[in-house]
Amino acid sequence: MNLIRTAMLLALLTALFMGVGFLIGGTGGMMIALVIAAGMNLFSYWNSDKMVLRMHNAVEVDAKTAPEFYQMVSDLAQNAGLPMPRVYVIKNAQPNAFATGRDPENAAVAASTGLLESLTEEEIAAVMAHELAHVQHRDTLTMTITATLAGAISMLGNFALFFGGNRNNNPLGFIGILVAMIVAPFAAMLVQMTISRTREYAADRRGAEICGNPLWLASALRKISAGAGRIVNEDAERNPATAHMFIINPLNGQRMDSLFSTHPATENRIAALESMAGEMAAPSARRPSDRPARPTTTSVPRTGPWGRDGSTRKGPWS
């Protein structure tokens, strides 16, 4: 059902894009808009992952620089039947994570240092399982295309503002120009947000299956939401178009499950996961322990997910 709904919304975005092109330049404008959209999507298909990771200053880690975190992702990918993705760490105090890449063979997952330092190992595993679910569902490609089309519609709306459209080929006249300038970009934004919210519920459920415990993810969402509300993510604020990629909206003040939110309300997601845990009724469906994800003392050296032996060796992002 989610796949059908997403396909319908993407079709609506494409129709909006071509309609705006028609309002600006008639049939010729519609064809030019189609060519521009194809070019933008092709570029995004091959380069979106690199652009997003660069925007957030993500640093790639491996089995040597972050052995426990890397092994955790490897085990989860094996559970999901996925190829091993590239693993990144973002030096950011806000707890959050995202996935990117055009397909499972070219995927990457990233977690912030704030997430790795404030969540338990169980909760971190649940978050990374959620991101791997996005990879498995190919949501990263879907959301890239969605963001590209929505951005292109807004761009065409700006063209209508500056150039006034082709009134000879515009059957709606000035009203058509207003539609191209205001209504179409607004509608595109709503469609983009609707797709984002639809994908999050599906990834929550599949992520819970991958890690084996819905309550781990429910607990993680609660902590991440609280942290995102307190800590400003400056990189995300500078690049708001990437907000839909994170497990929790990184933009400050976005807490409501409304038409203007890229994510469902955290309370609704937690309720769905708790309901799922009740359905599973398995011994593993227990609440996460309070055991910290990293040692609180340096008396016993231990390599953590952040590439540290106790407090002496730091990872490459430090």
Side-chain angles (χ1 to χ4, degrees):
M1 184 65 184
N2 281 336
L3 180 62
I4 296 174
R5 184 180 182 185
T6 300
M8 292 175 63
L9 291 169
L10 283 173
L12 177 58
L13 268 181
T14 303
L16 273 172
F17 186 81
M18 297 182 69
V20 172
F22 177 76
L23 292 174
I24 294 174
T27 304
M30 183 172 63
M31 297 308 297
I32 292 173
L34 183 61
V35 172
I36 293 174
M40 294 178 70
N41 282 325
L42 184 62
F43 179 82
S44 297
Y45 179 82
W46 289 105
N47 299 285
S48 61
D49 56 340
K50 302 179 186 67
M51 292 188 297
V52 171
L53 291 166
R54 192 178 300 115
M55 286 177 185
H56 293 278
N57 300 307
V59 176
E60 187 169 5
V61 297
D62 55 26
K64 292 182 179 179
T65 55
E68 292 186 7
F69 182 42
Y70 188 87
Q71 186 61 49
M72 175 189 290
V73 175
S74 177
D75 292 343
L76 291 168
Q78 186 174 5
N79 288 349
L82 289 169
M84 179 63 186
R86 288 170 291 138
V87 182
Y88 288 80
V89 171
I90 306 166
K91 189 177 181 180
N92 194 301
Q94 184 189 84
N96 230 317
F98 67 82
T100 186
R102 63 182 180 271
D103 54 40
E105 289 72 29
N106 296 276
V109 293
S112 70
T113 52
L115 182 137
L116 297 175
E117 292 172 356
S118 62
L119 271 63
T120 68
E121 293 179 4
E122 295 164 337
E123 291 162 348
I124 294 171
V127 170
M128 302 321 294
H130 169 99
E131 299 308 328
L132 289 173
H134 277 307
V135 172
Q136 190 168 56
H137 293 164
R138 296 180 183 265
D139 293 339
T140 51
L141 176 60
T142 300
M143 294 313 304
T144 296
I145 293 174
T146 302
T148 301
L149 282 173
I153 290 172
S154 297
M155 179 188 68
L156 288 181
N158 291 332
F159 285 168
L161 173 64
F162 288 107
F163 299 106
N166 188 335
R167 292 177 174 80
N168 294 328
N169 296 321
N170 182 353
L172 300 180
F174 183 69
I175 294 177
I177 296 173
L178 288 178
V179 170
M181 288 170 50
I182 301 173
V183 179
F186 181 74
M189 178 186 68
L190 295 183
V191 172
Q192 180 186 9
M193 292 176 177
T194 301
I195 294 176
S196 300
R197 295 197 299 269
T198 300
R199 297 291 85 202
E200 288 304 319
Y201 281 118
D204 282 348
R205 185 169 188 85
R206 178 55 183 151
E209 293 172 350
I210 293 172
C211 75
N213 192 328
L215 295 180
W216 293 356
L217 183 54
S219 179
L221 290 176
R222 190 176 289 109
K223 289 184 179 180
I224 297 171
S225 180
R230 295 192 310 268
I231 304 169
V232 176
N233 187 329
E234 294 183 0
D235 290 331
E237 296 291 343
R238 284 193 295 267
N239 303 284
T242 64
H244 65 276
M245 302 181 67
F246 287 81
I247 188 169
I248 291 288
N249 193 341
L251 303 180
N252 201 28
Q254 292 286 351
R255 299 175 62 90
M256 298 179 63
D257 192 4
S258 67
L259 287 174
F260 303 99
S261 175
T262 58
H263 292 66
T266 304
E267 293 79 6
N268 293 347
R269 296 169 69 181
I270 290 172
L273 288 165
E274 290 177 341
S275 176
M276 180 182 177
E279 293 171 3
M280 291 173 64
S284 62
R286 56 183 175 81
R287 295 194 177 278
S289 68
D290 291 328
R291 177 167 48 89
R294 59 176 298 184
T296 57
T297 175
T298 59
S299 59
V300 180
R302 175 171 174 264
T303 302
W306 316 271
R308 297 175 180 173
D309 292 328
S311 61
T312 59
R313 183 168 63 84
K314 294 180 181 286
W317 55 86
S318 301

